[in-house]
Amino acid sequence: MQELITAKKYFSRMGWLYLAATAIIFGLQAAAGLIINAVKPEWFYDMNISLFFSVAPMYLVGFPLLALLLKKCVPAGHIEKHRMTAGQYVISAIICIGLAYAANILGLIMTTLIGIFTGNSVANPITDVVTSMSPWSVLFYTVICAPVMEELVFRKLIVDRAVRYGQGVAVVVSGVMFGLFHGNLNQFVYAAVIGSFLAFLYVKTGNLKITVSLHMLFNFMGGFLPTVLMNQMNLDSYLESGSISELQELMVQKLGWFLLYGLLLLFILGMLVAGVVLFIVFAAKKKFVFHPGETSVPRQLKLSLALGNAGMAAFGLFWIIQIICQVLA
């Protein structure tokens, strides 16, 4: 009985600390917005500058403070390091990208259905942000900064602490919290899926470099490359007019870039199919095995203890409200 109470308090403390870090980030972002509005309101129209003041409180204050508090208040467990071969890495990359795009399609279907029933289309905020930014800003923020910081905060910090209650628990908690933190339904589904798979890789290898590099690869393919190609194709004029003749003329002028974009889509489709097939094959062969943790908590109670506590419930409720607001906006 004491083990159950201890486990619940352990995860609750983690939930409260992640919620506190979220509150600090939101507060600093709001303060930055007020200062910009008073000093340089025109910066709101430059997405590159706006994004800096949005991520700086998170990467420079919120996440580092969270890491310090977790280290002090929630002791980490030990994850053994295991080598991954080049072949295993390639297979992992294919599965990771395939699952992410499959989950992204599922998320798009969900938001489309919600839009049909509510009469309002559910916008994808990340799409608007990425398409409004310089490709080099996309490269810096989404391909370099985000994978490093997010893998540290949502993989290492969570998995290192949750793994004492079982690898499966660590994987689920990491994936769910990572998905919720994105704050919108469009990203929640694929972020939770890719977060869970990366957590599985980390818990099996103990090597964060693997998950960071795969996270970078996915963001490069899904964010940076499409942004560069879309900018080169210059579709803005067509999207504004909707003229078929203008599109045909544009395709002739930018034929090389359209071909590259088409090849990228075919490559992504191939990765999607291959990744899902490999995942099904490996799952059928029972390759995704989760070892129990060092505690004596009954298996059937582990997830309920990890997620069904005051701290985790408060963290989840906060982000669920954010997601609902985004859906109904």
Side-chain angles (χ1 to χ4, degrees):
M1 186 65 180
Q2 185 58 43
E3 283 287 356
L4 302 182
I5 296 173
T6 301
K8 205 163 189 176
K9 288 181 177 179
Y10 185 85
F11 282 103
S12 183
R13 198 176 300 128
M14 283 180 58
W16 284 121
L17 289 177
Y18 271 82
L19 181 60
T22 300
I24 291 171
I25 291 168
F26 271 48
L28 291 175
Q29 288 173 337
L34 292 173
I35 294 173
I36 292 173
N37 188 55
V39 180
K40 288 280 187 179
E42 62 271 19
W43 282 358
F44 283 119
Y45 301 99
D46 188 327
M47 189 55 65
N48 299 286
I49 298 176
S50 296
L51 186 62
F52 171 79
F53 285 101
S54 176
V55 301
M58 183 163 51
Y59 293 162
L60 301 180
V61 181
F63 285 173
L65 181 60
L66 173 62
L68 289 174
L69 291 173
L70 280 171
K71 185 176 181 180
K72 182 178 180 180
C73 303
V74 187
H78 174 69
I79 297 180
E80 294 183 3
K81 290 187 177 293
H82 297 279
R83 183 175 174 271
M84 175 181 277
T85 66
Q88 290 172 329
Y89 181 86
V90 171
I91 291 173
S92 298
I94 295 172
I95 293 176
C96 180
I97 294 172
L99 289 179
Y101 278 106
N104 188 37
I105 292 173
L106 177 61
L108 289 174
I109 293 173
M110 291 172 60
T111 54
T112 300
L113 291 175
I114 290 173
I116 292 173
F117 284 113
T118 61
N120 297 313
S121 60
V122 182
N124 188 345
I126 192 65
T127 300
D128 296 334
V129 170
V130 170
T131 55
S132 303
M133 291 169 55
S134 157
W136 303 113
S137 294
V138 175
L139 179 67
F140 178 70
Y141 288 117
T142 68
V143 181
I144 298 175
C145 295
V148 173
M149 297 302 297
E150 290 175 358
E151 290 307 306
L152 282 169
V153 172
F154 290 98
R155 234 63 63 203
K156 182 171 178 57
L157 293 182
I158 292 176
V159 173
D160 281 3
R161 286 156 178 79
V163 74
R164 66 177 57 195
Y165 293 98
Q167 293 181 345
V169 172
V171 167
V172 172
V173 172
S174 173
V176 170
M177 293 183 73
F178 183 56
L180 287 172
F181 190 81
H182 283 74
N184 64 82
L185 186 59
N186 305 77
Q187 290 180 282
F188 168 76
V189 180
Y190 77 76
V193 169
I194 193 174
S196 297
F197 184 71
L198 291 176
F200 169 76
L201 293 179
Y202 175 63
V203 84
K204 290 299 183 181
T205 65
N207 189 344
L208 199 68
K209 293 177 182 177
I210 292 172
T211 66
V212 168
S213 62
L214 290 177
H215 199 150
M216 286 180 169
L217 177 62
F218 173 70
N219 284 6
F220 179 82
M221 288 181 53
F224 177 69
L225 271 185
T227 301
V228 170
L229 295 176
M230 290 289 286
N231 284 349
Q232 292 296 329
M233 289 188 295
N234 192 24
L235 286 173
D236 290 343
S237 58
Y238 165 72
L239 293 174
E240 291 175 1
S241 65
S243 170
I244 299 298
S245 59
E246 286 187 15
L247 176 61
Q248 292 173 338
E249 183 179 347
L250 183 64
M251 290 181 69
V252 172
Q253 294 174 352
K254 304 281 187 177
L255 181 60
W257 294 109
F258 274 89
L259 289 175
L260 286 175
Y261 191 75
L263 288 173
L264 176 62
L265 292 179
L266 288 174
F267 179 75
I268 289 173
L269 178 61
M271 294 289 281
L272 189 159
V273 173
V276 172
V277 169
L278 283 172
F279 176 79
I280 294 173
V281 170
F282 276 80
K285 292 183 176 181
K286 297 182 179 180
K287 296 293 184 180
F288 301 111
V289 179
F290 300 105
H291 299 308
E294 60 191 41
T295 63
S296 58
V297 175
R299 175 197 284 184
Q300 63 270 23
L301 295 178
K302 287 182 178 181
L303 272 180
S304 61
L305 290 172
L307 299 175
N309 54 74
M312 286 294 184
F315 175 84
L317 180 62
F318 175 86
W319 284 110
I320 289 172
I321 291 173
Q322 300 300 312
I323 292 172
I324 292 173
C325 290
Q326 180 259 338
V327 169
L328 299 178

